[in-house]
Amino acid sequence: NLVKEIEKSLSDQLKKFTSFKFVKEVRVKGAIGVIELFSLAKKDITWLRKKFIKNGVWLRPLGNIVYFTPPLLISKKDLNFLIKTTYQIFKTWKK
């Protein structure tokens, strides 16, 4: 089942985001992954969007949440790239 595979990958890999002090919670439901931040100002959203686009990652920061909604046919390699790149961006974030 494609959804179960994506859900497992997201669950396993998003856990590491809780090491960032600005991350409140990480949740996964089916093929949707969420990184909830304590706060996300407009300037933070702008910065994240620019970084995501520059690095070839299309994510949706909305409010204080960053959503992962990959297509069901995403390859494991592409999903890993998405998560790894997001993690690298978060590591450079001066939040």
Side-chain angles (χ1 to χ4, degrees):
N1 183 324
L2 297 173
V3 173
K4 293 274 186 213
E5 290 175 26
I6 293 170
E7 182 176 42
K8 178 158 178 25
S9 285
L10 288 171
S11 293
D12 293 345
Q13 295 185 62
L14 292 183
K15 289 176 188 173
K16 64 184 170 192
F17 285 84
T18 60
S19 66
F20 295 109
K21 62 184 174 190
F22 51 84
V23 171
K24 181 176 180 181
E25 183 181 16
V26 174
R27 300 184 295 278
V28 176
K29 179 76 171 180
I32 300 171
V34 169
I35 301 172
E36 183 178 352
L37 308 172
F38 284 102
S39 65
L40 194 58
K42 188 172 180 98
K43 69 178 178 63
D44 295 326
I45 291 173
T46 301
W47 185 87
L48 280 172
R49 282 187 181 146
K50 286 180 183 177
K51 284 291 196 181
F52 288 151
I53 291 168
K54 181 180 177 187
N55 288 280
V57 172
W58 296 93
L59 290 179
R60 297 174 34 146
L62 184 62
N64 66 324
I65 294 175
V66 175
Y67 286 93
F68 292 83
T69 54
L72 296 181
L73 295 175
I74 193 168
S75 68
K76 194 166 194 92
K77 178 183 174 188
D78 286 343
L79 185 57
N80 291 340
F81 171 81
L82 178 70
I83 296 167
K84 180 181 177 186
T85 303
T86 301
Y87 188 79
Q88 294 304 317
I89 291 169
F90 273 37
K91 280 176 59 175
T92 66
W93 193 6
K94 307 290 186 226
K95 178 113 175 88

